[in-house]
Amino acid sequence: MQDHSLSIAKPTEGLLSQKIGTSLIAAALLCAIIAAFGQGETQSALFFWLIIVFIFAGGIIFSIPYFKGIPGIKNNGIMHSPATNRGGIAWGIGILMTGFYIILYWFPQYLEGLIRTMDPLSNILRNKASDQWFLYGTLYTLAVIIMGIRFIGKYRSNRYQVLRTLSVMFFQLGFAFLLPAFLLKLNQPEFYFSYFWPLKYSYLFPNDINYLIQSGNIGVFMVFWGLVMTFIATPILTYNYGKRWYCSWVCGCGALAETLGDPYRQNSDKSLKAWKVERWMVHSVLVFVTLTTALLWLNSWKNGTILGDASGLFSQCYGFLIGSVFSGVIGTGFYPIMGSRVWCRFGCPMAAILGLFQRFKSKFRITTNGGQCISCGNCSTYCEMGIDVRAYAQKGENIIRASCVGCGICSAVCPRGVLNLENLAEEGRFESYKR
C-alpha cells in the first residue's frame, strides 16, 4: 500500500500527526480569511487566539515526526513531491505568498479585519492599535519560530545547525519583534538593532539620523549603534568569521529563508548563467543604495539646493523597487519556485558588501578533501545559494565564494565528511588540497 504523506520531506512515520498538523494550520488560514472579511473587526480577541493557537498547535504537531526515529538528515522524496519540486502545490503556495505580499504592501485596506485581530497583542506590547506592519511582523516571527522548531527536529543530529537556528530565532523574536515594540511602548523611536546599513538603508539617511538624534539620548545611541555596526563591527566580524556571522546567525531575512524556506533550498539554480545574473544584480543594488545615500547627504549638506525635492525620489524609488517589490514580493513569494535565498542571492546589498569582504579579506573558507569525495552531489543539490559545491570538492579547492552564507548544510549532508567550515589564517585561502 502506497504511503501518501503530507510531509514536505516525506518521512514514512508520523502520517497521522502530519495530517492533524496540516488540518490545524488550514483552520488557522480559514480563520484569517474570515477575519479579513470583517469578523476580525468585531471579534478581534476571539480570532486572535484562534489563529495563534491553531498555528502553534498545527506547527508543533506537524513537526513531531522530525524529532522521532534515528537522528539524521532525511530528504526522502523531496525531489519528487509537488509541494517541494516546483509542482502544482508549490506554485499554489508561491502564488498565495506573493498575493499576500502584494495586498500587504499596497492594498492593506483589504486586510483591515485581519489587522484588527492583532490589536490585543499590539496593545500589550506597544500601547497602540495594530497596523499592517505589526501584523506582518507577528506572522513573520511566528513562521520563523514554528518552522525553526521543524528545522531543529530535522537537523538535530548536527550541533552547528541547531545552534544557528536557535540564534536566528532569538534575534528575530527579541531584536526584530519584541524590542522595537517595547521601544514604542516607552514612546521611543522604533529601532531594529539587528539590521544595519545597507540592508536597513534608511538608517544612514539624513532625515532618519536627524529624527533619532532629536529623540534624545536613546536616539543618539541608536545612531551610534548603527554607525559602529556598519563601519566597525561588520568588517571585523566578517574578516574573522565570514558573512555567516550575520546571514546565517542574525539576519531576519536569513532566518525566514533558513526556516520557512528550508523545504525549497534544493530549487536554487546552480547554472553558470544564474551565477552571472546574481553577481550583476546584487552588486547593482549595492551601488544603487550607496549612490542614493550619498546623494541624500550631498543634498542635505547643500540645504536642498542641488536636487531639491527630487532627492526624495531616489529613496522612494529604492524603497519601492528594492525594499518592497524585490525583498518582499519576489524575495519571499518565490521561495517555492526559485529556492529560499532569492533575495539574499540576487538583491540584498548587505549580502553583497559582506560577500566582497569574505571573498577578498577574510579568514573564513569551506575546506574540501577531494580525495574523499564520492561525487554524490548532495552538497550542490542542497546549497541554497546556488553554488556547485561538488565541483570545488572534486578538485580539492577551498570554497571562498562571495555568495556563500556559511549555512553549513553542504557539510551536514555530506556522507564522507569532505567539507568543513573553518576560520583559519588568511594566508593559503586559495590553495587546493594536496593529495
Side-chain angles (χ1 to χ4, degrees), residues 35-250:
F37 277 95
Q39 293 301 312
E41 297 185 50
T42 58
Q43 303 181 64
S44 59
L46 172 63
F47 278 94
F48 169 78
W49 285 111
L50 286 175
I51 293 172
I52 297 299
V53 170
F54 281 152
I55 288 180
F56 257 112
I60 292 174
I61 293 173
F62 186 90
S63 300
I64 289 175
Y66 293 96
F67 289 88
K68 292 186 175 181
I70 301 174
I73 302 170
K74 301 176 182 63
N75 286 313
N76 305 330
I78 200 170
M79 302 300 293
H80 304 286
S81 170
T84 54
N85 194 32
R86 302 188 183 96
I89 297 177
W91 277 96
I93 295 173
I95 292 172
L96 183 65
M97 292 173 63
T98 302
F100 172 76
Y101 268 89
I102 291 174
I103 296 173
L104 178 77
Y105 276 79
W106 297 294
F107 306 99
Q109 63 271 22
Y110 295 112
L111 294 175
E112 185 62 27
L114 186 58
I115 292 172
R116 297 280 66 80
T117 63
M118 296 298 152
D119 280 343
L121 181 61
S122 182
N123 286 324
I124 292 173
L125 295 180
R126 311 191 305 166
N127 272 350
K128 59 186 296 187
S130 176
D131 53 26
Q132 70 199 89
W133 305 119
F134 184 79
L135 167 69
Y136 177 54
T138 303
L139 296 179
Y140 194 108
T141 303
L142 281 173
V144 170
I145 293 175
I146 293 171
M147 292 300 287
I149 293 172
R150 170 200 167 272
F151 189 99
I152 291 173
K154 180 180 178 181
Y155 297 93
R156 70 187 191 279
S157 60
N158 190 295
R159 183 171 177 267
Y160 180 80
Q161 299 302 325
V162 172
L163 289 177
R164 76 181 185 90
T165 304
L166 290 173
S167 176
V168 295
M169 291 167 67
F170 167 76
F171 279 103
Q172 175 58 38
L173 177 61
F175 282 70
F177 184 65
L178 294 179
L179 184 55
F182 182 67
L183 288 169
L184 283 179
K185 189 170 186 176
L186 297 177
N187 294 318
Q188 297 296 330
E190 187 177 31
F191 192 84
Y192 298 83
F193 287 91
S194 56
Y195 292 99
F196 332 113
W197 188 91
L199 179 55
K200 193 66 174 177
Y201 51 90
S202 64
Y203 280 1
L204 277 190
F205 285 178
N207 288 341
D208 283 60
I209 288 183
N210 290 334
Y211 166 71
L212 291 175
I213 291 176
Q214 293 171 6
S215 300
N217 292 333
I218 292 182
V220 173
F221 174 76
M222 291 172 180
V223 174
F224 173 77
W225 172 269
L227 293 173
V228 169
M229 292 304 301
T230 298
F231 296 110
I232 299 177
T234 290
I236 292 175
L237 290 170
T238 309
Y239 174 74
N240 284 286
Y241 306 106
K243 64 193 293 185
R244 61 172 169 163
W245 76 268
Y246 187 73
C247 296
S248 290
W249 286 75
V250 175

Side-chain angles (χ1 to χ4, degrees), residues 6 15-25 58 61-62:
L6 295 175
L15 180 59
L16 178 60
S17 66
Q18 288 171 356
K19 286 183 175 180
I20 294 174
T22 302
S23 299
L24 290 173
I25 293 174
I61 293 173
F62 186 90

